[in-house]
């Protein structure tokens, strides 16, 4: 089944403790991105990647890092999480051509205390 | 800068009534248009999308949307809603000139009452 897999689904952590949210897709998509969802703000793009070793900032990149060493994986790294990064996070990959569209992971609900 | 605006943050409606959720975007370039639904404590599910062709797009669960290029709008409609349609709905637009970056509206909470 074509899918984007995020882990973990839920995470509670403490301020300053480094964490990584993993994202993997099995559709051989070149484009992947990360979003955060906050009430009243919709989803905002954090980082995106056009292909392996090609990443760029989205609209709210502060406090986040990403890497794209392999096509299928696009982890989101919070080196020193803060409470304002408490949010719901979604990873997505994109298909192009006639079937243009985005496939989203199930989401990761992160709480930073 | 390109933006997407959902004009209503909350829409209460009675069961079996029609509903329209409004979405406008600001852009002079070509776009792809999407509507997603998010049920409580769940992820995003694609309702429908417009890539090209007929401006009236039909999606899942009886929803449809119409692309109006001159108005830069992509409103979502359903002629008769059910309690199970209670959810948050997001309009999203991919802008050609930003590498297809997908920008979301703020979301509309649809609340269907019996």
């Amino acid at each position: 089944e074509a899918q984007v897999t995020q882990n973990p689904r839920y995470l509670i952590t403490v301020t300053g403790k480094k964490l990584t949210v993993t994202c993997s897709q099995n559709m051989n998509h070149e484009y992947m991105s990360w979003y955060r969802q906050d009430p009243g703000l919709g989803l905002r793009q954090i980082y995106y990647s056009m292909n392996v070793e090609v990443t760029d900032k989205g609209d709210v990149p502060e406090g986040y890092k990403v890497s794209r060493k392999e096509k299928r994986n696009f982890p989101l790294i919070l080196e020193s999480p803060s409470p304002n990064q408490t949010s719901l996070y979604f990873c997505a990959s994109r298909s192009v051509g006639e079937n243009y569209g985005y496939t989203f992971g199930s989401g990761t609900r992160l709480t930073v205390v | 800068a390109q933006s997407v605006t959902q004009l209503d943050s909350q829409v209460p409606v009675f069961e079996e009534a029609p509903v329209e959720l409004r979405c406008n975007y600001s852009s002079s370039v070509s776009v792809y248009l999407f509507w997603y639904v998010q049920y409580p404590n769940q992820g995003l599910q694609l309702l429908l999308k417009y890539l090209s062709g007929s401006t009236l797009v039909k999606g899942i669960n009886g929803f449809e949307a119409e692309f109006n290029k001159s108005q830069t709008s992509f409103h979502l409609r359903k002629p008769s809603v059910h309690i199970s349609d209670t959810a948050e709905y997001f309009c999203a637009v991919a802008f050609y000139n930003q590498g297809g970056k997908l920008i979301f509206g703020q979301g509309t909470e649809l609340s269907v009452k019996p």
Side-chain angles (χ1 to χ4, degrees), chain A residues 9 31 35 37 40-43 45 50 58-59 88 90 94 97-102 104 106 109, chain B residues 32 34 36 38 41-44 46 49 51 88 90 94 98-107:
Chain A
R9 288 292 309 276
Y31 181 99
Y35 289 84
Q37 181 184 354
L41 297 177
L43 281 80
Q45 191 182 60
M50 299 294 285
D59 297 315
L88 179 58
F90 288 100
R94 184 178 74 193
E98 286 185 356
N99 219 14
Y100 188 102
Y102 294 79
F104 285 86
S106 301
R109 187 166 292 280
Chain B
Y32 292 141
F34 304 82
Y36 291 89
Q38 185 178 38
N41 298 312
Q42 293 193 25
L44 296 167
L46 179 68
K49 64 181 177 183
L51 302 183
E88 187 153 26
F90 291 97
Q98 291 196 40
K101 176 181 177 179
L102 192 65
I103 297 178
F104 282 82
Q106 302 90 331

Side-chain angles (χ1 to χ4, degrees), chain B residues 37-114:
Chain B
V37 59
Q38 185 178 38
Y39 298 103
N41 298 312
Q42 293 193 25
L44 296 167
Q45 181 180 4
L46 179 68
L47 272 178
L48 48 79
K49 64 181 177 183
Y50 171 80
L51 302 183
S52 65
S54 172
T55 57
L56 182 63
V57 181
K58 293 192 185 298
I60 61 171
N61 301 343
F63 283 94
E64 64 180 33
E66 184 149 24
F67 170 46
N68 187 319
K69 189 173 182 179
S70 62
Q71 305 276 336
T72 60
S73 68
F74 191 53
H75 300 336
L76 181 71
R77 302 186 184 98
K78 186 169 182 177
S80 175
V81 294
H82 304 291
I83 299 285
S84 58
D85 292 322
T86 294
E88 187 153 26
Y89 292 79
F90 291 97
C91 177
V93 181
F95 297 91
Y96 281 23
N97 69 339
Q98 291 196 40
K101 176 181 177 179
L102 192 65
I103 297 178
F104 282 82
Q106 302 90 331
T108 298
E109 280 188 39
L110 176 64
S111 175
V112 182
K113 304 176 188 307

